[in-house]
Structures are given as C-alpha cells and as structure tokens.
Amino acid sequence: MQYVSFKAADGTETWGVSIDGTVHDLGPSGKNLAATTRDAIEKGIFGTQLDLSGAPTIAEADIDFLPSVTNPGKIICIGVNYLAHQEESGKTGQTAPTVFTRFADSQMGHLAPAVKPTTTTKFDYEGEMALVISKEAFHVEKEDAWDHIAGYACYNDFSVRDWQKAASQWIPGKNFPGTGGFGPYLVPAADLGDITTAVLETRVNGEVRQQAPVANLVFDIPTLINYVTGFTKLNPGDVIVTGTPGGVGLFYGPDGLINHGDVVEVEITGLGILRNTVADEASLLAGAQATAGASA
C-alpha cells in the first residue's frame, strides 16, 4: 500500500492511499479516519486493511504532494553511513553514527522545488532512505528494532555545503526551507519484506550519481534505532534518515553540484521515485511577487 500526504483542492492538508494512480482521501477533506499520516500511525490504523468505501478520490497526477509525514516530532539524520561516502569525504573509521537534526518545516514533497538559497554556491543532493517510527521507542534493543518501524520512504537531504562546512556542526547546512525532499509514498514495512535487499539510486538529469543496496549501510537499521533511542525517546511518526551512498555532488567532479533547473530523482526498490527540480530562491521570490502584483 502506498500512503500519500497531499493538499486537497481546497488547500486542506490531508492524507490517503494511492492505488493504481487513484488517491483515496482518508483525511480531513475525505473520510476523516485521522488528521494526518502521523495520526494514523498513532491510532494504529496505518498499514492495516482500511475501508475505502465512501472516500473521495482524485487522480494521483492531480494532487499536490506534501512530505510523507508532514508533522514529525523529530527528524534524526545519519551522516556518512555508507563506506563509499566515508571514503570520498575522508571520514573512515567511524565508531558511532554521525547524527544531526533536520526541522520539519525544511521539508517538501515529491515534485516540489528544491530551493537553492541565494547565499550559497554549493548546493548538493543526498539520496537516502527514511524510516518512520511506529510506536514509542526508548532504549530499544537491536533485536526489537524492526518492531518499531511503521514504514519507509525515499528522502533527499539536499545540502548547502558552504553553510554545512563553516563549522563542526552541520545543522545550518541541512535546514534551509525546501531542502528536505520526502516521498512520494510512505510504504508500510510489512508490505516490503527484507528492506535490506532494496537498492537506492540517485539521478541528476537522468545521470546515475549514486547507487547502493541498503545492505551496505555501515551502521544498519537495528543499530541506528538502538543508538538513537539510547539518547532520545522517539514517538510514532518520528523519522530517521539513514544516510547517503558515495557519489554526492561535492566529490563527483567540477560539475557535480546542482543548480537551477537540474532534476534530481531518488529511487528505492519498492518505494517509488522522489523527484525534485532545483529552483533558485531568487527566481521563486520573483515569481511570487509577480503573482501577487497581478492579483492586486
């Protein structure tokens, strides 16, 4: 089952399931089974056999995608968690996961612009897989970790490298608005089988830049959940972004970084394709001002 978060025609933020290109609205503008995907997870109805009868429908091609989870309490990101990326960045020999945080309001959905800030010349992509927590998780043992996962989704941790590298803490370079691509779908863990057999691929304008099986994570999923819940409590709907393979733009070559008009896709087996097109912040502001002037 493919769960989506989206805006209804009247602007209401809602959620539902997409089946064969048709989205069944189960949120506030539809059947109202729960307010958000996060609420559906908290209620225990995410990933279950839902009654879709009477739910309004809309073609998936016509929806305005939102991040798969629009209101997570916490987004925990893991850095340099594939060996090839450790090697290209000179960060081998990690003895514990590298952790940083991303704010929920920095995220955007499938097909939304990836916003290149006016204050950077070093905008980059990082294709990743995200997992979403299903129930309260604190001091979770590795053998119990899989029972705490609601589902998985594609993620693009777009990075503002000059801000990221300005100091030892990465948070500034990871939290500009419109830089956390999340979606298009959140797929229940139970529907996927062994997620470690999935392959992650990132493409820029159709060119493959990153490709690796999830099995290549240096710190695997049980280790990440055990480590993160060792220092903070996670709740339903919280997100762990598991890390990016080698091949990021910063180390790819002279034309590796991304600019206005570049199309970046993250595809993971069973999770669909997350697509975002880079847009300069200045061009978006100019467009918004022109629209406001025309309607005045």
Side-chain angles (χ1 to χ4, degrees), residues 139-168:
H139 296 303
V140 175
E141 298 296 333
K142 292 181 183 180
E143 58 267 28
D144 299 324
W146 298 109
D147 294 333
H148 290 76
I149 301 172
Y152 301 91
C154 299
Y155 208 96
N156 200 328
D157 181 38
F158 288 97
S159 301
V160 184
R161 296 297 190 194
D162 31 13
W163 282 76
Q164 178 189 353
K165 303 292 186 178
S168 61

mmCIF file of all heavy atoms in Angstrom, residues 139-168:
data_model
loop_
_atom_site.group_PDB
_atom_site.id
_atom_site.type_symbol
_atom_site.label_atom_id
_atom_site.label_comp_id
_atom_site.label_asym_id
_atom_site.label_seq_id
_atom_site.Cartn_x
_atom_site.Cartn_y
_atom_site.Cartn_z
ATOM 1 N N HIS A 139 15.457 3.278 24.459
ATOM 2 C CA HIS A 139 16.355 2.173 24.826
ATOM 3 C C HIS A 139 15.911 0.866 24.170
ATOM 4 O O HIS A 139 15.745 -0.169 24.833
ATOM 5 C CB HIS A 139 16.406 2.024 26.351
ATOM 6 C CG HIS A 139 16.997 3.207 27.053
ATOM 7 N ND1 HIS A 139 18.264 3.688 26.771
ATOM 8 C CD2 HIS A 139 16.499 4.021 28.013
ATOM 9 C CE1 HIS A 139 18.515 4.740 27.537
ATOM 10 N NE2 HIS A 139 17.461 4.963 28.294
ATOM 11 N N VAL A 140 15.734 0.925 22.857
ATOM 12 C CA VAL A 140 15.283 -0.239 22.101
ATOM 13 C C VAL A 140 16.478 -1.142 21.794
ATOM 14 O O VAL A 140 17.488 -0.690 21.254
ATOM 15 C CB VAL A 140 14.601 0.190 20.788
ATOM 16 C CG1 VAL A 140 14.231 -1.032 19.940
ATOM 17 C CG2 VAL A 140 13.363 1.031 21.087
ATOM 18 N N GLU A 141 16.368 -2.412 22.133
ATOM 19 C CA GLU A 141 17.413 -3.365 21.808
ATOM 20 C C GLU A 141 17.392 -3.668 20.303
ATOM 21 O O GLU A 141 16.348 -3.597 19.651
ATOM 22 C CB GLU A 141 17.214 -4.661 22.602
ATOM 23 C CG GLU A 141 17.287 -4.488 24.110
ATOM 24 C CD GLU A 141 18.665 -4.025 24.582
ATOM 25 O OE1 GLU A 141 19.666 -4.316 23.882
ATOM 26 O OE2 GLU A 141 18.736 -3.371 25.637
ATOM 27 N N LYS A 142 18.543 -4.031 19.760
ATOM 28 C CA LYS A 142 18.641 -4.269 18.322
ATOM 29 C C LYS A 142 17.654 -5.326 17.853
ATOM 30 O O LYS A 142 17.035 -5.195 16.782
ATOM 31 C CB LYS A 142 20.067 -4.672 17.951
ATOM 32 C CG LYS A 142 21.097 -3.564 18.109
ATOM 33 C CD LYS A 142 22.480 -4.052 17.700
ATOM 34 C CE LYS A 142 23.533 -2.976 17.929
ATOM 35 N NZ LYS A 142 24.889 -3.430 17.525
ATOM 36 N N GLU A 143 17.496 -6.379 18.634
ATOM 37 C CA GLU A 143 16.608 -7.460 18.208
ATOM 38 C C GLU A 143 15.139 -7.039 18.182
ATOM 39 O O GLU A 143 14.300 -7.704 17.561
ATOM 40 C CB GLU A 143 16.780 -8.699 19.090
ATOM 41 C CG GLU A 143 16.536 -8.461 20.567
ATOM 42 C CD GLU A 143 17.811 -8.126 21.336
ATOM 43 O OE1 GLU A 143 18.757 -7.563 20.733
ATOM 44 O OE2 GLU A 143 17.847 -8.429 22.547
ATOM 45 N N ASP A 144 14.814 -5.938 18.833
ATOM 46 C CA ASP A 144 13.432 -5.441 18.854
ATOM 47 C C ASP A 144 13.212 -4.280 17.894
ATOM 48 O O ASP A 144 12.080 -3.778 17.770
ATOM 49 C CB ASP A 144 13.064 -4.988 20.274
ATOM 50 C CG ASP A 144 13.136 -6.115 21.288
ATOM 51 O OD1 ASP A 144 12.797 -7.256 20.923
ATOM 52 O OD2 ASP A 144 13.555 -5.852 22.437
ATOM 53 N N ALA A 145 14.262 -3.835 17.215
ATOM 54 C CA ALA A 145 14.183 -2.604 16.428
ATOM 55 C C ALA A 145 13.163 -2.696 15.297
ATOM 56 O O ALA A 145 12.409 -1.744 15.044
ATOM 57 C CB ALA A 145 15.563 -2.269 15.862
ATOM 58 N N TRP A 146 13.113 -3.834 14.594
ATOM 59 C CA TRP A 146 12.221 -3.947 13.438
ATOM 60 C C TRP A 146 10.758 -3.761 13.832
ATOM 61 O O TRP A 146 9.940 -3.321 13.009
ATOM 62 C CB TRP A 146 12.403 -5.303 12.768
ATOM 63 C CG TRP A 146 13.788 -5.531 12.239
ATOM 64 C CD1 TRP A 146 14.731 -6.383 12.741
ATOM 65 C CD2 TRP A 146 14.406 -4.902 11.112
ATOM 66 N NE1 TRP A 146 15.885 -6.320 12.002
ATOM 67 C CE2 TRP A 146 15.717 -5.432 10.984
ATOM 68 C CE3 TRP A 146 13.971 -3.957 10.179
ATOM 69 C CZ2 TRP A 146 16.594 -5.038 9.980
ATOM 70 C CZ3 TRP A 146 14.838 -3.563 9.174
ATOM 71 C CH2 TRP A 146 16.132 -4.090 9.069
ATOM 72 N N ASP A 147 10.426 -4.077 15.076
ATOM 73 C CA ASP A 147 9.035 -3.951 15.539
ATOM 74 C C ASP A 147 8.633 -2.501 15.781
ATOM 75 O O ASP A 147 7.471 -2.230 16.102
ATOM 76 C CB ASP A 147 8.830 -4.738 16.839
ATOM 77 C CG ASP A 147 8.976 -6.242 16.638
ATOM 78 O OD1 ASP A 147 8.726 -6.705 15.506
ATOM 79 O OD2 ASP A 147 9.348 -6.938 17.598
ATOM 80 N N HIS A 148 9.580 -1.577 15.647
ATOM 81 C CA HIS A 148 9.304 -0.165 15.901
ATOM 82 C C HIS A 148 9.254 0.662 14.619
ATOM 83 O O HIS A 148 9.269 1.891 14.665
ATOM 84 C CB HIS A 148 10.354 0.415 16.853
ATOM 85 C CG HIS A 148 10.238 -0.093 18.257
ATOM 86 N ND1 HIS A 148 10.651 -1.359 18.629
ATOM 87 C CD2 HIS A 148 9.742 0.484 19.381
ATOM 88 C CE1 HIS A 148 10.417 -1.529 19.920
ATOM 89 N NE2 HIS A 148 9.871 -0.428 20.394
ATOM 90 N N ILE A 149 9.170 -0.002 13.474
ATOM 91 C CA ILE A 149 9.176 0.701 12.190
ATOM 92 C C ILE A 149 7.806 0.604 11.541
ATOM 93 O O ILE A 149 7.293 -0.495 11.279
ATOM 94 C CB ILE A 149 10.245 0.120 11.249
ATOM 95 C CG1 ILE A 149 11.633 0.229 11.887
ATOM 96 C CG2 ILE A 149 10.216 0.853 9.901
ATOM 97 C CD1 ILE A 149 12.712 -0.501 11.118
ATOM 98 N N ALA A 150 7.199 1.770 11.265
ATOM 99 C CA ALA A 150 5.911 1.797 10.564
ATOM 100 C C ALA A 150 6.104 1.599 9.077
ATOM 101 O O ALA A 150 5.373 0.847 8.426
ATOM 102 C CB ALA A 150 5.203 3.122 10.826
ATOM 103 N N GLY A 151 7.083 2.291 8.498
ATOM 104 C CA GLY A 151 7.275 2.209 7.062
ATOM 105 C C GLY A 151 8.518 2.943 6.609
ATOM 106 O O GLY A 151 9.283 3.483 7.423
ATOM 107 N N TYR A 152 8.687 2.966 5.285
ATOM 108 C CA TYR A 152 9.885 3.527 4.672
ATOM 109 C C TYR A 152 9.495 4.456 3.524
ATOM 110 O O TYR A 152 8.449 4.293 2.894
ATOM 111 C CB TYR A 152 10.781 2.424 4.121
ATOM 112 C CG TYR A 152 11.248 1.410 5.138
ATOM 113 C CD1 TYR A 152 10.500 0.247 5.383
ATOM 114 C CD2 TYR A 152 12.418 1.588 5.855
ATOM 115 C CE1 TYR A 152 10.921 -0.698 6.314
ATOM 116 C CE2 TYR A 152 12.857 0.647 6.780
ATOM 117 C CZ TYR A 152 12.103 -0.491 6.998
ATOM 118 O OH TYR A 152 12.523 -1.425 7.918
ATOM 119 N N ALA A 153 10.407 5.388 3.211
ATOM 120 C CA ALA A 153 10.183 6.306 2.098
ATOM 121 C C ALA A 153 11.526 6.774 1.546
ATOM 122 O O ALA A 153 12.567 6.659 2.196
ATOM 123 C CB ALA A 153 9.363 7.516 2.548
ATOM 124 N N CYS A 154 11.487 7.301 0.329
ATOM 125 C CA CYS A 154 12.666 7.959 -0.239
ATOM 126 C C CYS A 154 12.855 9.323 0.421
ATOM 127 O O CYS A 154 11.887 9.969 0.826
ATOM 128 C CB CYS A 154 12.488 8.167 -1.743
ATOM 129 S SG CYS A 154 12.263 6.673 -2.713
ATOM 130 N N TYR A 155 14.111 9.738 0.494
ATOM 131 C CA TYR A 155 14.434 11.046 1.077
ATOM 132 C C TYR A 155 15.577 11.659 0.275
ATOM 133 O O TYR A 155 16.454 10.947 -0.213
ATOM 134 C CB TYR A 155 14.863 10.896 2.543
ATOM 135 C CG TYR A 155 14.575 12.101 3.398
ATOM 136 C CD1 TYR A 155 13.420 12.160 4.177
ATOM 137 C CD2 TYR A 155 15.438 13.186 3.430
ATOM 138 C CE1 TYR A 155 13.137 13.270 4.968
ATOM 139 C CE2 TYR A 155 15.167 14.300 4.212
ATOM 140 C CZ TYR A 155 14.013 14.323 4.979
ATOM 141 O OH TYR A 155 13.729 15.438 5.749
ATOM 142 N N ASN A 156 15.562 12.975 0.130
ATOM 143 C CA ASN A 156 16.697 13.688 -0.451
ATOM 144 C C ASN A 156 17.107 14.786 0.518
ATOM 145 O O ASN A 156 16.396 15.772 0.699
ATOM 146 C CB ASN A 156 16.363 14.280 -1.820
ATOM 147 C CG ASN A 156 17.625 14.579 -2.618
ATOM 148 O OD1 ASN A 156 18.664 14.919 -2.053
ATOM 149 N ND2 ASN A 156 17.539 14.472 -3.931
ATOM 150 N N ASP A 157 18.247 14.571 1.135
ATOM 151 C CA ASP A 157 18.773 15.504 2.132
ATOM 152 C C ASP A 157 19.619 16.566 1.403
ATOM 153 O O ASP A 157 20.839 16.586 1.497
ATOM 154 C CB ASP A 157 19.615 14.725 3.147
ATOM 155 C CG ASP A 157 20.192 15.598 4.252
ATOM 156 O OD1 ASP A 157 19.487 16.520 4.697
ATOM 157 O OD2 ASP A 157 21.336 15.351 4.661
ATOM 158 N N PHE A 158 18.930 17.437 0.651
ATOM 159 C CA PHE A 158 19.635 18.494 -0.070
ATOM 160 C C PHE A 158 20.469 19.308 0.926
ATOM 161 O O PHE A 158 19.989 19.666 2.009
ATOM 162 C CB PHE A 158 18.652 19.410 -0.791
ATOM 163 C CG PHE A 158 18.006 18.781 -1.995
ATOM 164 C CD1 PHE A 158 16.756 18.194 -1.908
ATOM 165 C CD2 PHE A 158 18.657 18.786 -3.221
ATOM 166 C CE1 PHE A 158 16.155 17.624 -3.019
ATOM 167 C CE2 PHE A 158 18.066 18.214 -4.347
ATOM 168 C CZ PHE A 158 16.809 17.628 -4.250
ATOM 169 N N SER A 159 21.719 19.588 0.541
ATOM 170 C CA SER A 159 22.675 20.155 1.486
ATOM 171 C C SER A 159 23.300 21.432 0.942
ATOM 172 O O SER A 159 23.696 21.497 -0.233
ATOM 173 C CB SER A 159 23.789 19.134 1.777
ATOM 174 O OG SER A 159 23.231 17.949 2.321
ATOM 175 N N VAL A 160 23.384 22.419 1.810
ATOM 176 C CA VAL A 160 24.019 23.695 1.477
ATOM 177 C C VAL A 160 25.438 23.609 2.033
ATOM 178 O O VAL A 160 25.686 23.880 3.212
ATOM 179 C CB VAL A 160 23.220 24.872 2.071
ATOM 180 C CG1 VAL A 160 23.815 26.208 1.652
ATOM 181 C CG2 VAL A 160 21.749 24.781 1.636
ATOM 182 N N ARG A 161 26.369 23.176 1.174
ATOM 183 C CA ARG A 161 27.676 22.723 1.654
ATOM 184 C C ARG A 161 28.499 23.809 2.324
ATOM 185 O O ARG A 161 29.192 23.535 3.314
ATOM 186 C CB ARG A 161 28.473 22.122 0.490
ATOM 187 C CG ARG A 161 27.861 20.874 -0.127
ATOM 188 C CD ARG A 161 27.787 19.722 0.865
ATOM 189 N NE ARG A 161 27.410 18.472 0.186
ATOM 190 C CZ ARG A 161 27.014 17.398 0.819
ATOM 191 N NH1 ARG A 161 26.920 17.386 2.137
ATOM 192 N NH2 ARG A 161 26.689 16.306 0.147
ATOM 193 N N ASP A 162 28.473 25.045 1.818
ATOM 194 C CA ASP A 162 29.301 26.071 2.445
ATOM 195 C C ASP A 162 28.815 26.378 3.858
ATOM 196 O O ASP A 162 29.620 26.578 4.766
ATOM 197 C CB ASP A 162 29.398 27.346 1.592
ATOM 198 C CG ASP A 162 28.164 27.619 0.752
ATOM 199 O OD1 ASP A 162 27.122 26.984 0.980
ATOM 200 O OD2 ASP A 162 28.252 28.472 -0.143
ATOM 201 N N TRP A 163 27.504 26.364 4.063
ATOM 202 C CA TRP A 163 26.973 26.554 5.413
ATOM 203 C C TRP A 163 27.240 25.319 6.275
ATOM 204 O O TRP A 163 27.521 25.428 7.464
ATOM 205 C CB TRP A 163 25.475 26.837 5.357
ATOM 206 C CG TRP A 163 25.155 28.246 4.956
ATOM 207 C CD1 TRP A 163 25.215 28.776 3.697
ATOM 208 C CD2 TRP A 163 24.736 29.304 5.814
ATOM 209 N NE1 TRP A 163 24.850 30.094 3.715
ATOM 210 C CE2 TRP A 163 24.537 30.451 5.000
ATOM 211 C CE3 TRP A 163 24.482 29.392 7.175
ATOM 212 C CZ2 TRP A 163 24.116 31.677 5.518
ATOM 213 C CZ3 TRP A 163 24.054 30.617 7.698
ATOM 214 C CH2 TRP A 163 23.887 31.734 6.882
ATOM 215 N N GLN A 164 27.172 24.150 5.674
ATOM 216 C CA GLN A 164 27.434 22.919 6.425
ATOM 217 C C GLN A 164 28.882 22.858 6.906
ATOM 218 O O GLN A 164 29.172 22.426 8.030
ATOM 219 C CB GLN A 164 27.141 21.699 5.553
ATOM 220 C CG GLN A 164 27.424 20.360 6.238
ATOM 221 C CD GLN A 164 27.328 19.188 5.281
ATOM 222 O OE1 GLN A 164 26.918 19.325 4.121
ATOM 223 N NE2 GLN A 164 27.702 18.009 5.744
ATOM 224 N N LYS A 165 29.805 23.295 6.051
ATOM 225 C CA LYS A 165 31.228 23.159 6.344
ATOM 226 C C LYS A 165 31.805 24.342 7.109
ATOM 227 O O LYS A 165 32.990 24.338 7.451
ATOM 228 C CB LYS A 165 32.004 22.983 5.031
ATOM 229 C CG LYS A 165 31.565 21.798 4.178
ATOM 230 C CD LYS A 165 31.895 20.474 4.834
ATOM 231 C CE LYS A 165 31.575 19.306 3.912
ATOM 232 N NZ LYS A 165 31.925 18.003 4.508
ATOM 233 N N ALA A 166 30.998 25.356 7.380
ATOM 234 C CA ALA A 166 31.519 26.563 8.026
ATOM 235 C C ALA A 166 32.000 26.306 9.450
ATOM 236 O O ALA A 166 32.851 27.028 9.975
ATOM 237 C CB ALA A 166 30.454 27.658 8.026
ATOM 238 N N ALA A 167 31.451 25.283 10.097
ATOM 239 C CA ALA A 167 31.830 24.944 11.473
ATOM 240 C C ALA A 167 31.683 23.435 11.633
ATOM 241 O O ALA A 167 31.322 22.727 10.692
ATOM 242 C CB ALA A 167 30.964 25.701 12.484
ATOM 243 N N SER A 168 31.953 22.943 12.832
ATOM 244 C CA SER A 168 31.901 21.498 13.041
ATOM 245 C C SER A 168 30.479 20.954 13.078
ATOM 246 O O SER A 168 30.264 19.763 12.860
ATOM 247 C CB SER A 168 32.617 21.138 14.350
ATOM 248 O OG SER A 168 31.982 21.754 15.459
#
